[in-house]
DNA sequence: CGAGCACTTGATCGCTTTCAATAGCTGTGG
DNA sequence: CCACAGCTATTGAAAGCGATCAAGTGCTCG
């Protein structure tokens, strides 16, 4: 099953992630060069995009859908170490093999570049290298924020933290107003949430039920979430209201 | 009390971190430019180098000693999110305020550059920007490795993971042979270890005692550690012997 | 209708935390 | 020289939180 294209596959100007991806600061000439070496790939939910330890033949950007970076221990314990949203960059110029599994959490479309030509382009166009540095620094901040969540927060605070990150991202993507209830669909299964939070899926389920019982969130079905009071949720997450998560 | 200089403070060629720091790939001309804007600062153990939220007026490299990045919640829970060793870079070009506290864990000497001139230099010398990207990607990998430790490992595995990281770094710095026992001094208090591992200091103490009782490690005093069998320690850490931590 | 999947809920277990007491060490001052 | 404060670290006992084991619900799809 192929994911149907919602946009023009050749013209970067009309690309939905044009203003946030690694190509954000490129001028028209640079964009043309990128257009010359890019190609699209689609992945179904559940598919592994890149296996840990494999050769990485391409790098690229998530155009739509959600992918995750996961590490697995020999006995099967797994930890999600990153959530890749539209415009996020996949791959590591200058390294041969992938350090983690990259999995499609939902159906995913990626804009790919073969690694070698992209590395060459990076060396010749400072705009791309500069943007990639900024994005990597942002990811590093996000990873470190998450270390606090994993190391020091309670199960309830972990769930609230995850919900507030998803809510915040949704708000920033759809440019919604800050006030009023926030509504979104959870893009993750309970198990994926558990792997991201360092919990079991049972604990995730229990804490979501508890937050619902305490009216911190409203649930319709399993996935559709309404947050009546964002400040309340942030409080439950253990963050002061203006503290900034980056994802 | 000022830390005594162990090296020539003007000449980068003789700098002990010359081959690993952000300036590693610079040629002679670029190095001269850096020498023009650099200055050294010393910090005593326990001192805070940068406060979270403050303006960052400088960036720089750790020359000697160990610094830590820590986050603190309002109720006092703290999580160390990074360990800065000699040659590691401090600061973030392109961002105004510091996202975390930077604290001197031991006495620290830093090679500093005022932020603005450094940013200018970064734009004009691709070698620096390129090296900083590589270092940032390495740090990102290290942060993600640590997420697995924080999210999924037991207290015993966490301690073993920390010890194996310190052992490995010591080995890489002193270029020791791979085989035979590894000996080093712990540069962290039990409390600092707890903050890094997301544990309490009592649990750290108990697990160190347990590893000692089981002859995974030998202890002289509180801080002097001998590791008779590195493979055994890595096994206790839950890593396969060739798995690679980056710090 | 039954299989499969995602999720919920209950009961119990055990690891880590919490609370508390103590030891060892260093430096200070009577 | 000894007493004592202050700090780091160890160890014990008890409590609590999340994991584990287990059963059951609701939904979709063939």
């Amino acid at each position: 099953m192929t994911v149907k294209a919602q946009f023009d596959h050749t013209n970067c100007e009309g690309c939905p992630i044009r203003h946030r991806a690694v190509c954000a600061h490129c001028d028209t000439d640079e964009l043309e060069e990128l257009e010359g070496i890019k190609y699209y790939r689609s992945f179904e939910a559940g598919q592994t995009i890149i296996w840990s330890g494999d050769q990485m033949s391409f790098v690229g950007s998530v155009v739509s859908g959600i992918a995750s970076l996961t590490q697995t221990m020999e006995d099967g314990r797994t930890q999600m170490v990153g959530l890749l949203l539209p415009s996020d960059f996949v791959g590591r110029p200058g390294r041969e093999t992938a350090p983690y599994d990259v999995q499609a959490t939902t159906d995913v479309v990626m804009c790919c570049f073969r690694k070698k030509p992209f590395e060459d382009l990076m060396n010749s166009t400072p705009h791309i290298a500069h943007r990639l540095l900024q994005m990597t620094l942002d990811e590093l901040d996000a990873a470190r924020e998450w270390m606090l969540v994993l190391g020091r927060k309670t199960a309830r605070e972990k769930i609230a933290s995850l919900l507030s990150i998803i809510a915040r991202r949704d708000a920033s993507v759809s440019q919604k107003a800050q006030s009023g209830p926030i509504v979104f669909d959870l893009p993750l299964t309970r198990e994926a949430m558990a792997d991201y939070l360092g919990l079991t899926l049972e604990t995730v389920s229990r804490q979501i039920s508890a937050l619902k019982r305490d009216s911190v969130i409203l649930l319709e079905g399993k996935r559709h979430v309404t947050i009546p009071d964002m400040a309340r949720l942030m409080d439950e997450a253990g963050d002061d209201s203006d503290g900034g998560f980056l994802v």
Side-chain angles (χ1 to χ4, degrees), chain A:
Chain A
M1 186 205 308
T2 311
V3 176
K4 185 159 183 302
Q6 251 87 54
F7 55 95
D8 182 343
H9 266 191
T10 58
N11 186 358
C12 290
E13 296 291 350
C15 176
I17 59 168
R18 168 77 181 85
H19 56 301
R20 295 196 53 181
V22 70
C23 51
H25 299 334
C26 290
D27 57 36
T28 312
D29 290 357
E30 292 162 350
L31 227 47
E32 260 174 41
E33 287 207 69
L34 277 173
E35 279 178 3
I37 65 169
K38 84 179 185 189
Y39 58 99
Y40 290 90
R41 291 186 62 181
S42 297
F43 301 89
E44 289 176 60
Q47 235 183 315
T48 296
I49 299 174
I50 301 170
W51 293 94
S52 166
D54 275 11
Q55 290 289 120
M56 291 185 288
S57 58
F58 65 91
V59 299
S61 301
V62 175
V63 177
S64 66
I66 294 184
S68 61
L69 302 178
T70 63
Q71 293 196 81
T72 306
M73 295 172 67
E74 291 132 65
D75 60 9
R77 281 177 281 176
T78 72
Q79 175 66 49
M80 200 183 294
V81 296
L83 209 48
L84 298 172
L85 309 171
S87 81
D88 282 344
F89 187 78
V90 178
R92 172 163 175 171
R95 178 150 294 186
E96 284 305 306
T97 59
Y100 325 104
D101 292 338
V102 182
Q103 288 172 327
T105 296
T106 63
D107 288 346
V108 166
V109 177
M110 285 193 55
C111 171
C112 304
F113 310 99
R114 275 178 303 122
K115 188 152 147 288
K116 186 66 173 57
F118 183 84
E119 286 169 353
D120 294 341
L121 205 51
M122 240 183 67
N123 290 328
S124 60
T125 63
H127 281 163
I128 294 178
H130 187 258
R131 175 69 185 142
L132 189 54
L133 176 58
Q134 291 304 324
M135 291 176 74
T136 304
L137 286 165
D138 283 342
E139 275 190 278
L140 184 56
D141 281 346
R144 287 175 166 161
E145 293 284 348
W146 207 247
M147 287 171 67
L148 176 65
V149 173
L150 291 174
R152 291 302 187 193
K153 291 196 178 180
T154 64
R156 185 181 174 101
E157 290 170 333
K158 285 179 174 181
I159 298 290
S161 297
L162 179 58
L163 292 175
S164 74
I165 282 180
I166 295 173
R168 188 167 328 195
R169 172 180 53 78
D170 256 50
S172 90
V173 166
S174 56
Q175 311 281 16
K176 295 280 174 57
Q178 295 277 10
S179 63
I182 299 174
V183 180
F184 58 88
D185 284 304
L186 277 174
L188 303 173
T189 65
R190 300 290 186 263
E191 187 181 19
M193 294 173 70
D195 283 343
Y196 199 30
L197 295 167
L199 297 170
T200 59
L201 68 90
E202 293 95 331
T203 298
V204 170
S205 183
R206 270 185 253 276
Q207 294 300 334
I208 288 180
S209 298
L211 289 175
K212 177 183 170 188
R213 184 165 56 248
D214 298 342
S215 301
V216 179
I217 61 173
L218 307 177
L219 268 186
E220 286 171 68
K222 311 297 188 188
R223 300 290 192 93
H224 194 74
V225 179
T226 301
I227 296 172
D229 181 356
M230 191 60 190
R232 170 85 193 281
L233 181 67
M234 307 256 304
D235 195 54
E236 291 282 357
D239 302 324
D240 41 1
S241 310
D242 60 85
F245 270 100
L246 303 154
V247 166

